[in-house]
Amino acid sequence: FWQPGLTTDEIDKAVHQMIINNGAYPSPLGYGGFPKSVCTSVNECICHGIPDSRKLEDGDIINIDVTVYLKGYHGDTSATFLCGDVDDEAKKLVQVTRECLDRAISICAPGVNYNRIGKTINDHADKFKFGVVRQFVGHGVGRVFHADPIILHFRNNEHGRMVLGQTFTIEPMLTMGSTQPVIWSDDWTAVTKDGSLSAQFEHTLLITENGAEILTKC
Ligand code: MF3
Ligand code: CO
Ligand code: CO
């Protein structure tokens, strides 16, 4: 979809139209005062970037986080995309972040401790010396956009086990440097303190007899 000069506002418009055309509602729009229909997080932006008139440039990475409300339920998913010619280290960050989500999904099943998600993600990120952001978490999702359980993406000793029929997100954010967020005065945009790149992937999962079904798979 990317071409030089594309703005995040144009992405917002396209996503908004697509959602409305399918009889759904863009969950972010008006949520806690969020002004747009989708989050667009470019380069050092960790998450919750607000679409604007800034033009995407060759070499940028951008996470597009889409949540839709349809027939009484929210579905929440995001992916990081490459704009044109992205350097190898940034490509690696994006690839490893995707792998962290895939690996975390693969260990999910009834009775599994939530803290295995954090261990799986942190172990994989460590191999490549990427940082794992701690301040933003996965969450229960369904009739409500953000609900229990809280899903930590880093190594932890919290208790709690996955239950058959449960729906929640996993949405790891990995960085090339500092994992510390700075929130802009718009009260949403979270960027890395040192300006290092950040990537994120997210799916909504359903815990089934044998594992987890990805409800937001294309
Ligand atoms: N979709 C984000 C998440 O993964 C939440 C965005 S809240 C918003 O939880 F208000 F910024 F849209
Ligand atoms: Co989410
Ligand atoms: Co999301």
Side-chain angles (χ1 to χ4, degrees), residues 47-162:
C47 62
H48 302 164
I50 302 175
D52 62 14
S53 58
R54 170 186 170 168
K55 289 173 163 52
L56 290 168
E57 291 170 19
D58 188 59
D60 285 345
I61 63 171
I62 177 174
N63 175 277
I64 301 179
D65 191 335
V66 176
T67 311
V68 305
Y69 184 68
L70 180 66
K71 298 181 182 169
Y73 294 90
H74 297 270
D76 188 5
T77 186
S78 84
T80 299
F81 300 90
L82 309 176
C83 302
D85 211 5
V86 171
D87 71 50
D88 287 345
E89 184 62 358
K91 267 192 207 156
K92 191 78 193 168
L93 175 71
V94 173
Q95 183 198 324
V96 170
T97 307
R98 185 196 298 270
E99 290 167 1
C100 282
L101 174 58
D102 292 345
R103 284 170 183 236
I105 292 170
S106 75
I107 62 101
C108 290
V112 173
N113 199 309
Y114 296 122
N115 65 28
R116 283 199 42 211
I117 292 173
K119 177 173 166 45
T120 302
I121 291 165
N122 223 147
D123 283 353
H124 194 55
D126 284 354
K127 288 179 216 157
F128 303 90
K129 301 210 159 52
F130 292 135
V132 179
V133 173
R134 305 167 79 95
Q135 276 79 0
F136 300 100
V137 298
H139 51 91
V141 60
R143 289 200 173 275
V144 176
F145 191 172
H146 291 106
D148 280 343
I150 286 169
I151 306 295
L152 303 177
H153 302 118
F154 53 92
R155 222 171 271 113
N156 69 88
N157 294 313
E158 297 297 318
H159 296 291
R161 292 175 187 280
M162 299 172 201

Side-chain angles (χ1 to χ4, degrees), residues 106-110 164 207-213:
S106 75
I107 62 101
C108 290
L164 183 68
I207 299 301
T208 60
E209 300 267 357
N210 302 314
E213 182 188 344

